Amino acid sequence: MTLSIRNQLPGTVTAVTAGEAMASVKVRLDGGQNITAAITADAVKDLGLAEGSSVKALVKATEVALATGPVEGISIRNQLAGSVTEVSTGGAMGSVKVSVEGGELTAAITKDAVEDLGLRAGTSVVALIKSTEISLSAV
């Protein structure tokens, strides 16, 4: 199967907390960071997810926000530190590639945000990803 989702980070499920409709799945990425995905309880069953399952965390580039440092006081728990490796901008939007431990992410953000944050190769950033924006695939 081919996907347009470029952000595919391999990891291992460390915990699954299922409710009636939704589940919280904690994943230890191969690079050592921890993330949480909020997916349906049906998806947990369909994929056979349990502690120790190998998965890929899938995140669309438009769902990756960038900050120039850790952000406190927000509900976004998935904050992955990294550094910018490449920036491409057009008239309105920019594509920013970020190297994180164990992988690479692409963030599709506005050109204004690229300029306001002063993003260029080598800039330290933190990728912010809401748990509801992370899908999981079984490996």
Side-chain angles (χ1 to χ4, degrees):
M1 172 174 60
T2 304
L3 294 172
S4 65
I5 299 174
R6 300 286 182 258
N7 298 325
Q8 299 186 25
L9 302 171
T12 304
V13 173
T14 58
V16 177
T17 305
E20 188 171 324
M22 296 295 292
S24 173
V25 181
K26 294 186 181 201
V27 176
R28 176 102 170 151
L29 299 177
D30 287 358
Q33 312 92 324
N34 293 302
I35 62 167
T36 300
I39 63 175
T40 66
D42 286 343
V44 170
K45 291 176 193 169
D46 291 348
L47 296 172
L49 298 181
E51 189 173 326
S53 296
S54 293
V55 294
K56 282 189 181 176
L58 309 172
V59 186
K60 291 173 45 179
T62 53
E63 304 302 338
V64 178
L66 297 176
T68 54
V71 181
E72 295 185 27
I74 62 172
S75 63
I76 300 174
R77 300 288 184 259
N78 298 316
Q79 298 191 28
L80 304 176
S83 65
V84 174
T85 59
E86 183 181 331
V87 178
S88 301
T89 57
M93 296 295 293
S95 175
V96 181
K97 293 188 178 179
V98 177
S99 175
V100 297
E101 280 290 323
E104 183 174 270
L105 292 171
T106 299
I109 62 175
T110 64
K111 179 182 174 186
D112 289 344
V114 170
E115 293 170 357
D116 290 349
L117 295 174
L119 300 179
R120 61 188 168 284
T123 303
S124 292
V125 293
V126 174
L128 308 169
I129 310 166
K130 291 173 44 178
S131 61
T132 53
E133 302 305 336
I134 297 175
S135 298
L136 298 177
S137 73
V139 178

